[in-house]
Coordinates of all heavy atoms in Angstrom, one line a residue:
A19 N -20.7 -131.8 -37.0 CA -19.9 -131.2 -35.9 C -20.6 -130.6 -34.8 O -20.1 -130.3 -33.8 CB -19.0 -130.1 -36.6
D20 N -21.9 -130.3 -35.0 CA -22.8 -129.8 -33.9 C -24.2 -130.2 -34.1 O -24.5 -131.0 -35.1 CB -22.6 -128.2 -33.8 CG -23.0 -127.6 -35.2 OD1 -23.9 -128.2 -35.9 OD2 -22.4 -126.5 -35.5
L21 N -25.0 -129.8 -33.2 CA -26.4 -130.3 -33.2 C -27.2 -129.9 -34.4 O -28.1 -130.5 -35.0 CB -27.1 -129.9 -31.9 CG -26.6 -130.6 -30.6 CD1 -27.2 -130.0 -29.4 CD2 -26.9 -132.2 -30.6
D22 N -26.8 -128.6 -34.9 CA -27.5 -128.2 -36.1 C -27.2 -129.0 -37.4 O -28.0 -129.4 -38.1 CB -27.0 -126.7 -36.5 CG -27.8 -125.7 -35.5 OD1 -28.8 -126.2 -34.9 OD2 -27.5 -124.5 -35.4
A23 N -25.8 -129.3 -37.4 CA -25.4 -130.1 -38.6 C -26.1 -131.5 -38.5 O -26.5 -132.1 -39.6 CB -23.9 -130.2 -38.6
L24 N -26.2 -132.0 -37.3 CA -26.7 -133.4 -37.2 C -28.2 -133.4 -37.5 O -28.7 -134.3 -38.3 CB -26.6 -133.8 -35.7 CG -27.1 -135.2 -35.3 CD1 -26.3 -136.2 -36.1 CD2 -27.0 -135.4 -33.8
E25 N -28.9 -132.3 -37.2 CA -30.3 -132.2 -37.6 C -30.4 -132.1 -39.1 O -31.3 -132.8 -39.8 CB -30.9 -131.0 -36.9 CG -32.4 -130.7 -37.2 CD -33.4 -131.7 -36.8 OE1 -32.9 -132.7 -36.1 OE2 -34.6 -131.6 -37.1
G26 N -29.5 -131.4 -39.7 CA -29.5 -131.4 -41.2 C -29.3 -132.8 -41.8 O -30.0 -133.1 -42.7
A27 N -28.4 -133.6 -41.2 CA -28.2 -134.9 -41.8 C -29.4 -135.7 -41.5 O -29.8 -136.6 -42.4 CB -26.9 -135.5 -41.0
R28 N -30.1 -135.6 -40.4 CA -31.3 -136.4 -40.2 C -32.4 -136.0 -41.2 O -33.0 -136.9 -41.8 CB -31.9 -136.0 -38.8 CG -33.1 -137.0 -38.4 CD -33.7 -136.5 -37.1 NE -34.4 -135.2 -37.3 CZ -35.7 -135.1 -37.8 NH1 -36.2 -136.1 -38.3 NH2 -36.2 -133.9 -38.0
I29 N -32.6 -134.7 -41.5 CA -33.6 -134.3 -42.4 C -33.3 -134.9 -43.8 O -34.2 -135.3 -44.5 CB -33.8 -132.8 -42.4 CG1 -34.4 -132.3 -41.0 CG2 -34.6 -132.3 -43.6 CD1 -34.4 -130.8 -40.9
S30 N -32.0 -134.8 -44.2 CA -31.7 -135.2 -45.6 C -32.0 -136.7 -45.7 O -32.1 -137.2 -46.8 CB -30.4 -134.8 -46.0 OG -29.4 -135.7 -45.6
A31 N -31.9 -137.4 -44.6 CA -32.1 -138.9 -44.7 C -33.5 -139.3 -44.4 O -34.2 -140.0 -45.1 CB -31.1 -139.7 -43.8
L32 N -34.0 -138.8 -43.3 CA -35.3 -139.3 -42.7 C -36.5 -138.3 -42.7 O -37.6 -138.6 -42.3 CB -35.1 -139.8 -41.2 CG -34.1 -140.9 -41.1 CD1 -33.8 -141.2 -39.6 CD2 -34.5 -142.2 -41.8
G33 N -36.1 -137.1 -43.2 CA -37.2 -136.0 -43.2 C -38.2 -136.3 -44.2 O -38.2 -137.4 -44.9
R34 N -39.2 -135.5 -44.4 CA -40.4 -135.8 -45.2 C -39.9 -136.0 -46.7 O -40.4 -136.8 -47.4 CB -41.3 -134.6 -45.3 CG -42.6 -135.0 -44.6 CD -43.7 -134.0 -44.7 NE -43.3 -132.6 -44.6 CZ -43.6 -131.7 -45.4 NH1 -44.4 -131.9 -46.5 NH2 -43.2 -130.4 -45.3
K35 N -38.8 -135.2 -47.1 CA -38.3 -135.4 -48.4 C -36.9 -136.1 -48.4 O -36.2 -136.0 -49.4 CB -38.2 -134.0 -49.1 CG -39.5 -133.5 -49.4 CD -39.4 -132.1 -50.0 CE -40.8 -131.5 -50.3 NZ -40.7 -130.1 -50.4
G36 N -36.6 -136.8 -47.3 CA -35.3 -137.5 -47.1 C -35.1 -138.6 -48.1 O -36.1 -139.2 -48.7

Side-chain angles (χ1 to χ4, degrees):
D20 56 32
L21 290 172
D22 281 348
L24 183 60
E25 178 63 2
R28 186 191 67 80
I29 289 170
S30 86
L32 300 174
R34 250 190 321 132
K35 292 179 183 155

